[in-house]
Amino acid sequence: MSILTAAADVLRCFSSTRHDVTVTDLVTLLGMPKSNASRLLRAMRDEGLLETVGDSKRYRPALLLAQIGQLYRFAASLIDRADAVVGRVSDEIGHTGYISVRRGTEIIGVTAHPGRHALRVVTSIGDRIPAFASSTGRALLARLPDAEVRALYPEGFVAPSETAPRDMDELLARLAETRRNGFAESHDEAVRGVRAISVGLGDPATGDEVALCISFPAATVEPSERLSIIRSLAEGAAEIAALTQDKRFFPLNLSSSETAP
Amino acid sequence: MSILTAAADVLRCFSSTRHDVTVTDLVTLLGMPKSNASRLLRAMRDEGLLETVGDSKRYRPALLLAQIGQLYRFAASLIDRADAVVGRVSDEIGHTGYISVRRGTEIIGVTAHPGRHALRVVTSIGDRIPAFASSTGRALLARLPDAEVRALYPEGFVAPSETAPRDMDELLARLAETRRNGFAESHDEAVRGVRAISVGLGDPATGDEVALCISFPAATVEPSERLSIIRSLAEGAAEIAALTQDKRFFPLNLSSSETAP
DNA sequence: ACTTGAGTTCCATTTTTTGGAACTTCTTTG
DNA sequence: CAAAGAAGTTCCAAAAAATGGAACTCAAGT
């Protein structure tokens, strides 16, 4: 097993709740011998992948990784464009917006725009949520043929909340609805009292796919505001889809959707 | 030589002008045998460090690195706090603000807040500029004793512009001025027509040091506006310095500085 | 069908990596 | 303040991975 595997494992140890690691952290988290952990951290520091915090024995990701992380947004320029749209919509209406990507059956937040309202939805970048039980997830799954969706869940899934799809048939029905409407919607799924509108989007040139999402408290948003969120999001997404010549984009179709929340 | 070295070298190949690499890119950039380049890229992809663009033979940094990059800001929470201050000041006055760190004799942009004005200074994250010839650089160098500054430049340096320090003595004089005033200033140094105000700041607990900077077109900014930029920046920085108990922070001292631009 | 450029696979040799144990700090605590 | 304990580092021979040259595959372009 290459030392690259170990190095990647170390990087995966970092999270929003673990900003730095020590030799013993690695021993317990990854079950590697102390000697390896010690040498590996030092080697990664010497290579510029990690840096020590002050002159302590704690290691954190180095600036190099921060720089490359920044680059990712532009490398995957679809993310950048989508982020601009979500940022604009979020600014306009004051609710939280974010964009996410799918990795297998999980959805990962990539960028976020916190809303301005006192009651706002807080999401954090890097969070993972199940694809089938979120509007972002379904916006992205809707881009796959049903057969591929089935293949993603060979063992089915368990609905985490009342309003999430209960089984594959229900999921596929909601994906069909998403395709028809041009947007996906969730209500009380991941978080009680929260409603979210998502639109999926892709760039055939790079194979990237992202979901644009606006998330807001269900109680305080009028039907008309919800409609205007849907319109803004869909409009912005459609512009990008035209640019990338995304053939799998589903345009907004409000007449087909129930318009009351 | 460990494969980690090679992997880190690959990561260093990425820049704002190179968002992805191929096997041949590595061969020419790093002079490694094709066979190694091919295997290394595949291994890094398998480990989740890189991802292929679409289904082409091009590799770019993977989402994992983007996530870790995000984390860096919070891991180095000094950066986060400083960024908040610069963001606020930049918002208030409409000019471009950014924060940077020093690595050896180079200054690297970490976060940026583009200004609102039509004529604004554009900087990009990850750009490297020489420390001695920029206000950010001198704001950070001023935190070192003169002897350490000398040690950083054993061979001296060559001034890149008229207004940059010409030799070590001139640099040390300007650092002394920076310490006296509590801020560093540049004019026409890196970019003609651009003036910049920077304040240095550190966190003794982690050893991190950052520079807060506001950069603006020299021609359109009145002396009074310049003063208010200096005040806002210094005030915000002083708050953070108090929090981190930064003993090397130089407080604002407007009386000692010439107040006209 | 031929050429060219790009990428991959093969293989014996060389080089790293591994993990247990001994050793060194640093920290805690009696 | 010394002893115990925890955390980290270094050492070593065995085991595993990396190397690089050459042969091979694949896809365009002519």
Side-chain angles (χ1 to χ4, degrees):
Chain A
M1 186 187 62
S2 161
I3 196 172
L4 268 186
T5 314
D9 286 343
V10 169
L11 293 184
R12 267 183 280 271
C13 286
F14 295 107
S15 71
S16 46
T17 56
R18 188 187 302 281
H19 291 160
D20 47 36
V21 298
T22 61
V23 170
T24 11
D25 286 344
L26 288 195
V27 171
T28 55
L29 286 166
L30 304 177
M32 56 167 57
K34 259 199 315 185
S35 48
N36 286 0
S38 173
R39 279 176 306 214
L40 178 56
L41 286 176
R42 182 147 33 94
M44 289 177 75
R45 171 171 58 72
D46 291 347
E47 300 303 345
L49 299 174
L50 302 180
E51 55 190 35
T52 42
V53 178
D55 52 0
S56 72
K57 302 279 162 72
R58 315 193 68 79
Y59 291 80
R60 69 180 180 203
L63 184 60
L64 172 65
L65 296 180
Q67 294 178 264
I68 291 174
Q70 279 291 339
L71 239 55
Y72 183 83
R73 295 190 46 188
F74 300 98
S77 71
L78 179 66
I79 294 179
D80 204 37
R81 294 204 195 106
D83 186 56
V85 167
V86 167
R88 201 186 57 220
V89 176
S90 167
D91 266 11
E92 264 170 35
I93 60 168
H95 292 299
T96 300
Y98 50 94
I99 85 138
S100 328
V101 300
R102 179 175 64 87
R103 286 296 130 99
T105 61
E106 285 187 316
I107 296 298
I108 304 168
V110 180
T111 71
H113 297 263
R116 285 187 312 275
H117 295 303
L119 180 61
R120 78 176 76 140
V121 179
V122 179
T123 58
S124 74
I125 290 169
D127 277 1
R128 287 160 182 268
I129 53 175
F132 74 93
S134 61
S135 66
T136 31
R138 287 190 299 268
L140 289 168
L141 290 177
R143 297 174 57 82
L144 300 177
D146 283 1
E148 284 188 38
V149 176
R150 276 185 201 280
L152 270 179
Y153 294 100
E155 331 241 300
F157 46 74
V158 179
S161 62
E162 292 284 307
T163 50
R166 250 163 257 279
D167 53 37
M168 183 53 70
D169 286 344
E170 218 171 303
L171 174 59
L172 292 180
R174 292 185 69 171
L175 294 185
E177 192 189 336
T178 299
R179 297 190 189 104
R180 210 159 46 234
N181 295 348
F183 66 92
E185 187 160 16
S186 71
H187 190 173
D188 290 343
E189 275 191 38
V191 189
R192 294 265 308 162
V194 168
R195 198 175 258 273
I197 307 278
S198 300
V199 177
L201 183 60
D203 181 349
T206 63
D208 294 337
E209 300 195 329
V210 300
L212 293 70
C213 175
I214 298 285
S215 189
F216 49 87
T220 63
V221 169
E222 299 294 313
S224 66
E225 189 177 356
R226 167 176 167 279
L227 275 177
S228 95
I229 290 171
I230 293 173
R231 283 214 188 80
S232 306
L233 215 51
E235 196 177 295
E239 275 173 30
I240 304 176
L243 262 171
T244 63
Q245 303 188 287
D246 178 10
K247 284 150 305 197
R248 281 193 271 175
F249 180 72
F250 298 103
L252 181 62
N253 183 354
L254 274 178
S255 60
S256 79
S257 70
E258 38 69 58
T259 50
Chain B
M1 188 188 64
S2 160
I3 196 173
L4 269 186
T5 315
D9 285 344
V10 169
L11 293 184
R12 267 184 279 271
C13 287
F14 295 108
S15 71
S16 45
T17 55
R18 187 187 303 280
H19 291 161
D20 48 38
V21 298
T22 61
V23 169
T24 15
D25 286 344
L26 288 195
V27 172
T28 55
L29 286 166
L30 303 176
M32 59 170 51
K34 254 197 322 183
S35 48
N36 288 0
S38 172
R39 280 175 306 212
L40 178 57
L41 286 177
R42 181 147 33 95
M44 291 178 75
R45 170 171 58 72
D46 291 347
E47 298 303 344
L49 299 173
L50 301 180
E51 55 190 35
T52 41
V53 179
D55 52 359
S56 71
K57 302 282 162 77
R58 315 193 68 79
Y59 291 80
R60 69 178 179 206
L63 184 58
L64 172 66
L65 295 180
Q67 294 177 265
I68 291 174
Q70 278 291 338
L71 239 52
Y72 183 83
R73 294 191 47 185
F74 300 97
S77 70
L78 179 67
I79 293 179
D80 204 36
R81 295 205 196 106
D83 187 55
V85 167
V86 167
R88 203 187 55 219
V89 176
S90 168
D91 266 11
E92 265 169 33
I93 61 171
H95 292 299
T96 300
Y98 50 94
I99 85 136
S100 328
V101 300
R102 178 175 66 86
R103 286 294 130 102
T105 62
E106 285 187 317
I107 297 298
I108 305 168
V110 180
T111 71
H113 297 264
R116 287 187 311 274
H117 295 303
L119 179 59
R120 80 176 74 140
V121 179
V122 179
T123 59
S124 74
I125 290 169
D127 276 4
R128 288 158 181 269
I129 53 174
F132 75 94
S134 60
S135 66
T136 31
R138 288 192 298 269
L140 288 167
L141 290 177
R143 298 174 56 83
L144 300 177
D146 282 3
E148 285 188 38
V149 176
R150 276 184 202 280
L152 269 179
Y153 294 99
E155 330 240 300
F157 46 74
V158 180
S161 62
E162 292 283 310
T163 51
R166 251 163 257 279
D167 53 37
M168 183 52 70
D169 287 343
E170 218 170 302
L171 174 58
L172 292 179
R174 291 186 69 171
L175 295 185
E177 191 187 336
T178 298
R179 298 190 188 103
R180 214 160 41 236
N181 295 349
F183 66 92
E185 187 160 15
S186 71
H187 190 172
D188 289 344
E189 275 190 36
V191 189
R192 294 265 307 163
V194 168
R195 196 176 260 272
I197 308 277
S198 299
V199 178
L201 183 60
D203 181 349
T206 61
D208 293 336
E209 301 194 328
V210 302
L212 293 71
C213 176
I214 298 284
S215 190
F216 49 87
T220 62
V221 170
E222 299 293 314
S224 66
E225 188 178 356
R226 167 177 167 277
L227 275 178
S228 92
I229 291 172
I230 293 172
R231 284 214 187 80
S232 307
L233 214 51
E235 195 178 295
E239 275 173 30
I240 303 176
L243 261 171
T244 62
Q245 305 188 285
D246 178 11
K247 285 149 307 199
R248 284 194 269 178
F249 181 71
F250 299 102
L252 182 60
N253 183 353
L254 274 176
S255 63
S256 79
S257 71
E258 37 70 58
T259 50

